[in-house]
Amino acid sequence: MIDTKEASQILGITPHRVKQIVEEHSIPVNKKPGRSSRVKFGNESFRKILTLRGFDYERSIVTIGQEKGGVGKSLLTFNIAVNMANRGAKVLIIDLDPEACITNLIINPRAEDQSFATVFEVLKHDLQFKDVIEPSNYEGIDIVGCRGVARRAERLVSDQNPKKILKDKMEGLDKYDLILFDIPPTFSRLISSAYLTSDIVVMPTFPDSWSIESLQLTIDEIEEDCRKFDCDTPDIKILMNKFLPERKASKEALEVLSKNFGEYLLPYQIKECAALQNFVNDGFSLFEKSGNVEIKDSFRSICHVVCPLEVKTGDSQ
């Protein structure tokens, strides 16, 4: 959830005007006990304010991934999703990673035995993703979950055109502002399809030679499949994770990235922070905890890139 101060910053109006809009339109809010002036907005409440002010999100499909494992893909997906939902966006996560890290973080299955469908069932039974969506523990976020059985999905598509495998399963998802693919650290026919279906690909990397080498391999694979299957290359963004400006390795890695991947490199980094990983280990996002303002701002900047707000002409009040 966001408070009145953050709401005013997003909307470009004063906190007082935010409170006026809440009162004028009887928008439900969460009031902090003992502090009547401090309110927080749920997903639906803040979305209503956005609509009243003439704002909407630019819909996008985004893959968070690269072929190097352990560089923070699920952590990034989780925090982007929570921050966007806090800001009134409707988010769908499609988990394609059989390790199911993101699923285990946020899913709220309908059955105690965790019997929900995955991409494997979608492909095997010719379903659409809309048929297997599950609610999450977060207002504004839904998920197509993943389990170990999803490892079998690749067998079903080994001879298919990756341009169409996932794109043909996206019917009826127009209500979502942001669709996030969380993928394993591999490059296969199914994972290629996630890249080719996306508008934007965000590639997190650590400041080490193995991660940077993997970036080039992944970009080469994506571009090769785009040429082979005649489709547009997604907008690729590289994000340095676990960055420490005072550390020599970080500075050298940033110089290499700037020189070799300057056109893709985002102008901000996620600084190394033990608390960030600890939050995730405990099942919390960065945006459910206080502090860490600088890192939160970096995530907000990423969110602005992958799913920016637009002004709809003539709707502002």
Side-chain angles (χ1 to χ4, degrees):
M1 292 185 178
I2 60 172
D3 59 19
T4 308
K5 180 180 178 180
E6 187 172 352
S8 72
Q9 292 170 343
I10 295 168
L11 297 165
I13 57 178
T14 66
H16 178 69
R17 180 59 185 140
V18 173
K19 294 173 186 176
Q20 284 182 325
I21 294 171
V22 168
E23 293 172 359
E24 289 167 5
H25 298 275
S26 301
I27 295 172
V29 296
N30 295 278
K31 291 189 176 182
K32 197 165 185 177
R35 298 177 65 181
S36 59
S37 62
R38 180 75 178 272
V39 301
K40 289 197 172 185
F41 301 93
N43 176 269
E44 289 290 347
S45 296
F46 192 64
R47 188 175 186 85
K48 184 173 182 180
I49 297 177
L50 289 175
T51 301
L52 289 168
R53 295 294 297 175
F55 287 102
D56 200 0
Y57 283 102
E58 182 180 326
R59 187 174 183 272
S60 59
I61 301 172
V62 179
T63 292
I64 311 292
Q66 68 131 310
E67 293 182 52
K68 174 74 169 61
V71 292
K73 296 185 291 292
S74 295
L75 182 148
L76 191 61
T77 301
F78 180 39
N79 282 284
I80 287 175
V82 172
N83 186 44
M84 288 302 305
N86 285 350
R87 296 161 70 94
K90 296 299 181 186
V91 182
L92 175 65
I93 298 172
I94 301 177
D95 192 354
L96 302 180
D97 187 350
E99 294 295 322
C101 294
I102 195 73
T103 297
N104 292 332
L105 277 170
I106 75 164
I107 199 166
N108 182 19
R110 298 190 183 100
E112 291 183 1
D113 61 358
Q114 301 262 316
S115 59
F116 51 86
T118 72
V119 66
F120 173 72
E121 287 80 13
V122 168
L123 295 170
K124 182 177 181 180
H125 302 296
D126 194 22
L127 303 173
Q128 293 287 321
F129 283 126
K130 67 178 181 179
D131 300 323
V132 300
I133 288 172
E134 293 282 342
S136 81
N137 299 329
Y138 295 86
E139 184 187 0
I141 304 177
D142 292 333
I143 185 169
V144 175
C146 203
R147 294 178 289 126
V149 69
R151 290 186 175 88
R152 300 177 184 172
E154 193 64 40
R155 306 177 191 177
L156 305 175
V157 298
S158 59
D159 60 347
Q160 294 184 27
N161 183 342
K163 181 180 177 179
K164 298 182 177 181
I165 295 169
L166 296 179
K167 185 170 288 187
D168 287 351
K169 302 299 181 183
M170 306 289 282
E171 177 186 307
L173 301 181
D174 292 345
K175 76 172 185 176
Y176 295 104
D177 303 297
L178 177 61
I179 298 175
L180 291 164
F181 285 112
D182 190 52
I183 62 173
T186 60
F187 198 94
S188 63
R189 190 59 60 98
L190 181 62
I191 302 312
S192 173
S193 186
Y195 287 125
L196 271 55
T197 301
S198 296
D199 304 303
I200 301 171
V201 172
V202 178
M203 296 185 180
T205 183
F206 284 168
D208 61 58
S209 58
W210 299 277
S211 298
I212 294 172
E213 181 181 6
S214 179
L215 290 176
Q216 188 63 65
L217 293 172
T218 308
I219 292 170
D220 289 346
E221 297 268 23
I222 293 171
E223 291 179 341
E224 181 179 341
D225 272 10
C226 286
R227 289 190 296 268
K228 182 177 179 180
F229 298 101
D230 189 28
C231 58
D232 295 334
T233 304
D235 190 6
I236 295 171
K237 304 293 184 185
I238 293 174
L239 176 69
M240 176 78 83
N241 191 14
K242 285 200 172 182
F243 179 77
L244 281 179
E246 66 275 13
R247 185 176 292 171
K248 182 180 178 182
S250 288
K251 290 188 286 188
E252 290 178 348
L254 188 58
E255 289 175 4
V256 171
L257 288 172
S258 298
K259 179 180 179 180
N260 297 333
F261 302 95
E263 62 185 304
Y264 305 124
L265 185 62
L266 290 171
Y268 35 79
Q269 302 83 37
I270 303 297
K271 289 191 175 181
E272 184 168 359
C273 175
L276 181 58
Q277 187 61 58
N278 291 338
F279 292 163
V280 173
N281 291 344
D282 293 337
F284 295 101
S285 77
L286 177 68
F287 296 94
E288 295 169 85
K289 298 290 185 178
S290 61
N292 300 285
V293 174
E294 186 176 4
I295 298 178
K296 287 180 180 178
D297 285 343
S298 294
F299 273 99
R300 292 186 183 110
S301 296
I302 298 163
C303 289
H304 181 71
V305 169
V306 301
C307 192
L309 268 178
E310 310 177 290
V311 178
K312 297 189 293 183
T313 305
D315 288 347
S316 181
Q317 294 188 25

